[in-house]
Amino acid sequence: NIDLVPKFMMAAGELVSILVHTDVTRYMDFQQIGGSFVYLKGKGVYKAPASQSEAVTSPLLSFLERTKALRLMHYIKQADPDNPATWDGWDLKKMTMAQVFEGYGLGSGPQDMIGHALALWHDESYLQMPAVETFRRVRLYMLSLARFGESPFVYPMYGLGELPQGFARLSAIYGGTYMLKKPVDEILYDSDGKVCGVRSGTETARCKAVVCDPTYAMEKVRKVHRIIRIICLLSGLPQFAGEADSMQVILPRRQVDRKNGNNVCVNILI
């Protein structure tokens, strides 16, 4: 049974926080992925630094790059995006991330490691965005990493199908009802254009919100990009994996000469 969608989640991310807050986690088990890796052209695939000691010894960066990158990481750690008093004189809402990298003298290699392996941006547009956005993402990575130590990513055991099952069980406790394979004929809106219900045949269910696939409300959505997925079955784990039994491999855009970067999720099928 192969999950057709990426199932890794940030350990301190919003989705995991919702699962913990709603107590759905009592119906689910989570597994931490074995490691996060990044590809740099001419150097190969290496483990993304998960600690200061790994950053100091990582072959992804030269000696001078390590020192500069560590200085920037220390600054990101102490610069609270919601507290300008911690920004040490910089205005992170006006400065771009490119200006921050320039201020620390970091080249394309360290930029790709921080911007793509840690902040998880898929293209280079973040370089011209306010630096505070990248700081938020890197701090989330750090916070997620602090929960387990080896990797910031977790995933539900047995796949993402456990999420709706967990919510179904919790909903049943509070009197909720799940109707499976129920056709949806129309999403209803009030005079102000706000959703107010769903019609199925002659029956109508009233509600304040609808969570659905975009195909149910094409007039309300706009396609801005597409995600292309490829599934490959390997005879074994890649050589760089070491003892990791699952991993995420980041392929930054500049390192693979593409418009956008790629993420590779690797899992063992048992």
Side-chain angles (χ1 to χ4, degrees):
N1 183 16
I2 306 175
D3 235 334
L4 299 184
V5 295
K7 56 184 179 180
F8 298 160
M9 302 179 290
M10 298 293 282
E14 186 175 7
L15 177 55
V16 173
S17 298
I18 291 174
L19 296 176
V20 173
H21 177 73
T22 56
D23 206 22
V24 175
T25 50
R26 60 178 164 174
Y27 301 109
M28 303 170 60
D29 292 315
F30 288 88
Q31 179 70 36
Q32 182 188 17
I33 76 165
S36 182
F37 295 78
V38 60
Y39 168 78
L40 292 185
K41 187 187 303 183
K43 294 185 178 181
V45 180
Y46 296 95
K47 189 174 184 297
S51 63
Q52 183 170 335
S53 59
E54 287 187 3
V56 170
T57 59
S58 174
L60 292 170
L61 306 174
S62 67
F63 177 78
L64 291 178
E65 288 175 334
R66 293 171 195 166
T67 303
K68 295 175 181 178
L70 283 174
R71 287 178 52 231
L72 175 55
M73 295 301 293
H74 177 74
Y75 175 59
I76 294 176
K77 185 176 181 179
Q78 63 90 26
D80 183 352
D82 299 317
N83 184 7
T86 64
W87 296 353
D88 198 21
W90 283 9
D91 190 341
L92 299 180
K93 290 186 177 181
K94 292 183 178 180
M95 293 183 65
T96 65
M97 198 60 203
Q99 291 174 321
V100 172
F101 283 140
E102 183 180 355
Y104 279 84
L106 293 174
S108 60
Q111 289 182 26
D112 284 343
M113 188 188 75
I114 294 173
H116 297 289
L118 304 187
L120 303 179
W121 294 108
H122 292 293
D123 55 34
E124 305 305 313
S125 61
Y126 80 95
L127 290 172
Q128 304 308 319
M129 295 170 57
V132 68
E133 300 301 329
T134 299
F135 276 45
R136 290 186 191 278
R137 286 172 167 247
V138 175
R139 286 169 63 87
L140 174 60
Y141 186 98
M142 292 177 175
L143 183 59
S144 298
L145 190 60
R147 287 197 170 186
F148 299 106
E150 292 296 326
S151 169
F153 302 105
V154 295
Y155 62 91
M157 294 287 287
Y158 314 113
L160 288 179
E162 292 296 295
L163 292 178
Q165 288 190 55
F167 277 108
R169 292 167 184 162
L170 186 67
S171 176
I173 293 177
Y174 292 96
T177 301
Y178 269 69
M179 294 182 288
L180 304 180
K181 295 185 178 179
K182 188 75 170 177
V184 175
D185 296 316
E186 183 184 6
I187 296 178
L188 305 177
Y189 303 91
D190 61 20
S191 58
D192 295 327
K194 295 182 180 180
V195 66
C196 61
V198 176
R199 182 178 64 83
S200 177
T202 58
E203 298 177 305
T204 298
R206 295 293 174 179
C207 61
K208 296 181 179 179
V210 171
V211 180
C212 66
D213 185 275
T215 56
Y216 287 97
M218 292 300 294
E219 72 281 2
K220 299 290 184 178
V221 299
R222 178 172 56 91
K223 183 168 69 174
V224 294
H225 65 268
R226 294 187 299 168
I227 298 176
I228 300 175
R229 297 188 176 98
I230 300 175
I231 297 176
C232 302
L233 299 181
L234 308 178
S235 59
L237 283 171
Q239 294 181 352
F240 60 80
E243 298 181 355
D245 58 358
S246 58
M247 70 200 71
Q248 176 167 257
V249 184
I250 309 295
L251 306 177
R253 182 203 68 83
R254 283 187 293 199
Q255 305 301 323
V256 292
D257 298 323
R258 296 178 62 89
K259 182 179 179 180
N260 296 289
N262 301 94
N263 289 5
V264 180
C265 303
V266 183
N267 285 281
I268 289 180
L269 301 179
I270 300 178

